[in-house]
Amino acid sequence: MFEKNESFLELGFAKLDCSRQRRTGLPEIVFAQTKEISQLKEIIISFKKNKVPLFLSRLSKEQYLRLKKHFKDLKYFSAARIGFLGKPYPKTGKTVSLVTAGTSDIPVAEEAGVFLEILGNKVERIFDAGVAGVHRILSFKNKIDRSKIIIVVAGMEGALASLVSGITKRPVIGVPTSIGYGASFNGLASLLGMLNSCSLGVCVVNIDNGLGAGYLAHTIINSDI
Amino acid sequence: MFEKNESFLELGFAKLDCSRQRRTGLPEIVFAQTKEISQLKEIIISFKKNKVPLFLSRLSKEQYLRLKKHFKDLKYFSAARIGFLGKPYPKTGKTVSLVTAGTSDIPVAEEAGVFLEILGNKVERIFDAGVAGVHRILSFKNKIDRSKIIIVVAGMEGALASLVSGITKRPVIGVPTSIGYGASFNGLASLLGMLNSCSLGVCVVNIDNGLGAGYLAHTIINSDI
Amino acid sequence: MFEKNESFLELGFAKLDCSRQRRTGLPEIVFAQTKEISQLKEIIISFKKNKVPLFLSRLSKEQYLRLKKHFKDLKYFSAARIGFLGKPYPKTGKTVSLVTAGTSDIPVAEEAGVFLEILGNKVERIFDAGVAGVHRILSFKNKIDRSKIIIVVAGMEGALASLVSGITKRPVIGVPTSIGYGASFNGLASLLGMLNSCSLGVCVVNIDNGLGAGYLAHTIINSDI
Amino acid sequence: MFEKNESFLELGFAKLDCSRQRRTGLPEIVFAQTKEISQLKEIIISFKKNKVPLFLSRLSKEQYLRLKKHFKDLKYFSAARIGFLGKPYPKTGKTVSLVTAGTSDIPVAEEAGVFLEILGNKVERIFDAGVAGVHRILSFKNKIDRSKIIIVVAGMEGALASLVSGITKRPVIGVPTSIGYGASFNGLASLLGMLNSCSLGVCVVNIDNGLGAGYLAHTIINSDI
Amino acid sequence: MFEKNESFLELGFAKLDCSRQRRTGLPEIVFAQTKEISQLKEIIISFKKNKVPLFLSRLSKEQYLRLKKHFKDLKYFSAARIGFLGKPYPKTGKTVSLVTAGTSDIPVAEEAGVFLEILGNKVERIFDAGVAGVHRILSFKNKIDRSKIIIVVAGMEGALASLVSGITKRPVIGVPTSIGYGASFNGLASLLGMLNSCSLGVCVVNIDNGLGAGYLAHTIINSDI
Amino acid sequence: MFEKNESFLELGFAKLDCSRQRRTGLPEIVFAQTKEISQLKEIIISFKKNKVPLFLSRLSKEQYLRLKKHFKDLKYFSAARIGFLGKPYPKTGKTVSLVTAGTSDIPVAEEAGVFLEILGNKVERIFDAGVAGVHRILSFKNKIDRSKIIIVVAGMEGALASLVSGITKRPVIGVPTSIGYGASFNGLASLLGMLNSCSLGVCVVNIDNGLGAGYLAHTIINSDI
Amino acid sequence: MFEKNESFLELGFAKLDCSRQRRTGLPEIVFAQTKEISQLKEIIISFKKNKVPLFLSRLSKEQYLRLKKHFKDLKYFSAARIGFLGKPYPKTGKTVSLVTAGTSDIPVAEEAGVFLEILGNKVERIFDAGVAGVHRILSFKNKIDRSKIIIVVAGMEGALASLVSGITKRPVIGVPTSIGYGASFNGLASLLGMLNSCSLGVCVVNIDNGLGAGYLAHTIINSDI
Amino acid sequence: MFEKNESFLELGFAKLDCSRQRRTGLPEIVFAQTKEISQLKEIIISFKKNKVPLFLSRLSKEQYLRLKKHFKDLKYFSAARIGFLGKPYPKTGKTVSLVTAGTSDIPVAEEAGVFLEILGNKVERIFDAGVAGVHRILSFKNKIDRSKIIIVVAGMEGALASLVSGITKRPVIGVPTSIGYGASFNGLASLLGMLNSCSLGVCVVNIDNGLGAGYLAHTIINSDI
């Protein structure tokens, strides 16, 4: 009933989940932000040895440049702070709409966008379309309807997720961001706004968790559903 | 320069602010909810003696029925839980749009609506027009633009205030309501949503404070501005 | 009585979103909990006249019994507090796993379960399988993998959503519930737990929002994705 | 019924709301704090091309100095961190009182003050008049009564908004600030204080949102009300 | 160095602090609200046997009526929900001003007022003098200055404590109350307001803790300071 | 009716964890508060059939009386709201000190006390020994030192846990309770107080979770450590 | 009855409260932390011109050194971050006990200590006497009883205020500090702990507000009470 | 220099608890993070003079390097930020399992690990075994069962503590960490998760308080229980 001991690589400070690809069909993603360079190097070496692809999320430019010296094939997507080691995935032919309320929400959105593109999906970007000028998002209704799922990234009051969900029959993944000040309380206002959406059909991931939204979207649209 | 000692009536448990009408141009409003019948009776008698109009807010049906026996001229507006003693105010010729996101927000909205009508204003009601079906509020854009100010009453994520503010040049007073459940935290989600509006031109009053919104709207549109 | 508009029916206290079926492929759902019987009656009459199906969510037994006298064809699902007017939907052939951490989470789960079944989906119920005895949920791994999507309903610490997501490649919708006491703060602990899931592939809806999870699941698995 | 696609300028990372002036009678305001210089330059060029005025809010001195090299006509108001491109607006003949509780609240207040002055209004500044020495604000009662609207900017307990509202018939816009420490919780104490004002006639904007207060005040006093 | 075991009476469910009178000069006060009648009876009997006075705080009318049957000399002050067994204390010749912002704050204030009077102090009541009509409290400045200490009881935004402290050189004890609704969050707004008082010379006790304020005031003015 | 599985009994609405006794050496504990009588009956029947002991926690008197009719051997401990089915456990010879700050904390404490006694431990009760009269708890220092572990149950500020931990070398389990009012925020103050104990050697369980403390204490003192 | 307009000095950015000495018997205290050097210089010049003493609180070493160049008679107390201009006050003959729970609480305590000493009081310092080793504070009981009032400064769980209040009949002013980590939430735990003191006779000031405690203590012990 | 007292060393800024070893069987632990070098030096000198061992917790590398110059025998454990002066403790023969959910939780875990090892215990480290790949922790079940107690260190949703507790009969001490972002709110999510554990047998210490967990574990397993 249980997985065997062989299903992870023991590095002492980390147990690399080599069975993830088999279990979930998706590559291992290592959260780089709080890891030291020596740890990241050891992780990368293990993955290369096992010939499985590796994503590094929240990888800073500084971390990347230091790793690049050792791993020439490490690709870096600076807008998304994503590092990637591996071969490009085949095209899936699926499209995701990626909508942001403001310009400042783009870095979070790109975590999803870059992830989805690496995995072979098409991403339709609609940036800076917040509810203060509702005609902007309404003009993209057809484009939205033609994608399989919509990711809405918004800080401040996060109202855009409800609104988009109300104009389409597609599922909406809301990503609250910490963009805002004062009573935004680092994204709490947007998070609560999306959770209380008066439109059914919206689900939410953690504040600033663009990657989680991208991962979930890929899972949903590429399962044999 | 300062008000004189005579400017309030001392009842012991209350100091009735008889100078409010003179100072602010608006009648005294007594918060009835936490007061006992005997206190309310004493207050009403004092006002009648001084021939100044009196509003009783958050007056329950039970309180009203008990007071009615003693004060035949006490009017009651049950949807708004407002009691009123005094003569009708002259028409101001001004119009306020009163918008709610849902049906459940109507009692809070009517606190504003009834107050504004008693003071002589016209109220344009647009109820149940939340962002889950944005075509509803958009179809009222012209009506909204023709009113002097808009009061938006919404629970859950409170997104309607931002949206309305974005489609009109009129000022918007947002009233968050405690309608919702779970992570609405009794109106906190809606309150934070309205405070973080990405559309400038929105201000906010306390959760469920329909009366405050009506009072403020009347002050704004009827000053010699 | 109706001010006919292309896209909604105007009842004064409500604007019925008749275009929802067309826009989103799903029936209108009316939140019954805060509505009066007279309002619910008027809404039902409108829907019957327009021959569109109607869901009433959070409909209490008391409300149901009073409405039943007038509308003999109103069906009621007491565990889910759902009322339904309309014909059964055709089978979709899709399966959703519906998992709860405890017995007390079942009423919230059934909001999703009943909704999904009415709309023609198959629901695989796995109740009371929380992490305190992890062998329980592990024994259902195969069943979970065979369903298209999993809804995990859990109060207290909400850990079950992360765990389920880690053992399957299917997307997981987490529904935190208000079950618990003390530092559960009415579901906040579970909500935060699910939002911070260390397993990618989890999204979250509002506390106790079983209906929202069911709606979203149906949308995801029945789109032409 | 909806706005046309032409109503905004597509820059990819931003959709400039060129129709705002037409829709709301007020210029577009771009939040500069979280934008990169390259983005700000592209935005400015677009606005200059379209010959519409532009406000840049929360523009740091550093950002300004770098932009100044390219746009000689960019004006900067350092106390208010506002950048402005465009011709001076005609005088409106309207006056706003701008009151602060302390000296530290002045930067937030000047966001409102400078904005209002650029748009042609007169601003009457009354700074450092908190309730700890109530005789200070009382000595300005006449000045306050002669202005059309009052903006009260206060951190700590935010009591000044209630007090000012109680001595005048003019509407009051409260701006809580993050000035304070300990249990001020970055402005939360002041925000809650103003929202719970025992004086009707007070509305509130976000913590430190001086600009929002100035915008709203201008909207109120310059509509054809 | 330590107190001996004899300094309390062991009742099993309670250890009555008989040494309090000796240690602190004040009688034992038993919080009645959460105690059962049988427990209260046992406590009273113990105190009567030891001939020390006893205060029962938060004693409901129901509890009092049941106890009255057994203890004829039990006095009850219903406005303050205080029960008292013992002889009147000698007059101290000291005066405390007891100020409330509204009528609804009176029950909390009377906890302090009745306690102080039983202990022999004079209480000067100034009720319903909130900042919405600041002329009211200002007209009592002389009376306030002549008392030794001022207790300010206020819900909603709690601004009255700061204001009173600013007009007198006497120390101010602030008692936030849970009066209010919405964003008062059961007294949190008032509590934070008083803690952030911009006027030095204000201290605060727990929300609705009138008794604590009375106790502290008595301690301060009756020490051999 | 049962889908037999090696490790749990499937009741549909519950999966009874029959392997818990084997896995953890402790009986299954069913949280009764949110379960219906019919569910409890089915659970009891299953346990009786399997001849394993059963604890029912948070069992109300009403629930007990209804169950008693069917299960004559169901024991009930009303102070602790615990129901028990099974034979008495053998004496362990271990002692736990059970300390409360006040009388109102006793019901929570008895959840631990009764549980520990049923499992064969000795419980030393020291009730109403809060820090307001520190001589009380100090007089029990020897008794405390002679027990294996101390459970401290306290509401309000929860200071007693730190204090007890400082006077003994025994480990302390703190149980914050919801006793208090105002800024106790239903036990939050006590919870935070215990978590921030300046004395090492204190751990904490959920607010009002007396049972959890008793369970943990039993586990610690009865392991083959 | 009211103060005259002349009672403050208008500096534009500040209104110096020159009547405070007369009104409250205490000097003006200017919060230096958020003020610019140019503002502080202008304020100092005004006070010197008017020959009234001036306290500068939260004055950083950097600010002091820059001001020192211009005002040779500016005294600085670095532990307390207090600057002072004026002649020493006459001895009052009163003593205050100043107690801290830990070493890290000393800077906050010294705000009170230095302030009280400058105003002529004697300060008895008892530092690092937290409840983890309760014998420490108990050994100072006599010293505490001989002072007029006690200031207790404590972070983490703040339990020391309750404990001290329980062993003396003197009033206690609690100062919660932000010392701690994790669930101390920057002093919230200590603040709530002190507010919920189970010992009557404790009042509280803002987190880290040592100055406020010193000011209040001076007011209490030096009034003609 | 020292005011000798039976039970503590008086340093003025600190009262060193020399009786702790005698009272609790464990050495004094000084929280170094907020202390100055001069204070730490004075403390070390006192301990060396009294020949008692000393732990310095949260000692930064910078602090260590400066102290090292004066105290050559000061040992430093950088991963745990612990300094230690004294002789190694004898082996206890007891084992503690130290489990972390992720790699980033290791520094907090090592506070416990190093402390336990210095005191003579064996520590079994199982790092990076979070619930996202549950097979990892399950593969260590036997190892866990053979240790006397388990410390589980986890950020994000903290679910690992419940899970481990469910698979073993050993007591579990949960240490929430501040690892995470967004709605982790600096460890609040993990703290609440562990407090609401659906598995009995879990207790919790403060966020990031690895030391407290190690201290408690040592106390539990080394008492003469």
Side-chain angles (χ1 to χ4, degrees), chain E residues 186-198:
Chain E
N186 302 314
L188 178 64
S190 179
L191 172 63
L192 294 184
M194 290 185 183
L195 284 168
N196 285 282
S197 172
C198 57

Side-chain angles (χ1 to χ4, degrees), chain D residues 130-134 138 156-157 159 162-163 166-167 181 183-185 188-189 192-199, chain E residues 130-134 138 156-157 159 162-163 166-167 181 183-185 188-189 192-199:
Chain D
V131 299
V134 72
L138 292 177
M156 303 183 81
E157 85 272 59
S162 295
L163 193 135
I167 61 169
Y181 62 91
S184 96
F185 296 124
L188 178 64
L192 294 184
M194 290 184 181
L195 284 169
N196 284 282
S197 173
C198 58
S199 175
Chain E
V131 299
V134 72
L138 292 177
M156 305 182 80
E157 85 271 62
S162 294
L163 192 135
I167 62 170
Y181 61 89
S184 97
F185 296 123
L188 178 64
L192 294 184
M194 290 185 183
L195 284 168
N196 285 282
S197 172
C198 57
S199 175

Side-chain angles (χ1 to χ4, degrees), chain D residues 20-88:
Chain D
R20 176 182 289 264
Q21 182 94 23
R22 179 162 45 84
R23 278 202 332 278
T24 69
L26 282 163
E28 175 78 326
I29 298 165
V30 168
F31 190 71
Q33 192 171 273
T34 51
K35 295 211 172 56
E36 300 168 18
I37 290 293
S38 62
Q39 292 176 330
L40 292 174
K41 281 170 62 177
E42 220 177 309
I43 289 170
I44 292 174
I45 289 167
S46 298
F47 272 84
K48 289 176 80 81
K49 211 176 280 181
N50 283 271
K51 293 178 205 293
V52 275
L54 173 67
F55 276 80
L56 298 167
S57 72
R58 301 278 172 104
L59 183 76
S60 72
K61 187 131 205 178
E62 288 68 27
Q63 288 175 309
Y64 164 66
L65 291 174
R66 292 183 60 188
L67 292 173
K68 181 70 181 175
K69 294 179 196 161
H70 304 277
F71 310 101
K72 298 296 172 197
D73 52 344
L74 177 63
K75 289 189 226 41
Y76 188 59
F77 302 81
S78 63
R81 290 167 299 166
I82 284 179
F84 178 60
L85 269 161
K87 276 182 282 187

Side-chain angles (χ1 to χ4, degrees), chain H residues 128-150:
Chain H
D128 193 28
V131 299
V134 73
H135 57 292
R136 295 178 295 188
I137 188 65
L138 293 176
S139 71
F140 290 94
K141 183 181 181 332
N142 289 341
K143 196 168 266 189
I144 285 170
D145 280 341
R146 282 194 302 268
S147 59
K148 298 301 180 197
I149 197 164
I150 300 114

Side-chain angles (χ1 to χ4, degrees), chain A residues 132 157 159 162-163 166 183-184 193 196 198, chain B residues 132 157 159 162-163 166 183-184 189 193 196 198:
Chain A
E157 84 272 60
S162 295
L163 193 135
S184 98
N196 285 283
C198 57
Chain B
E157 84 271 61
S162 295
L163 193 134
S184 98
N196 284 281
C198 57

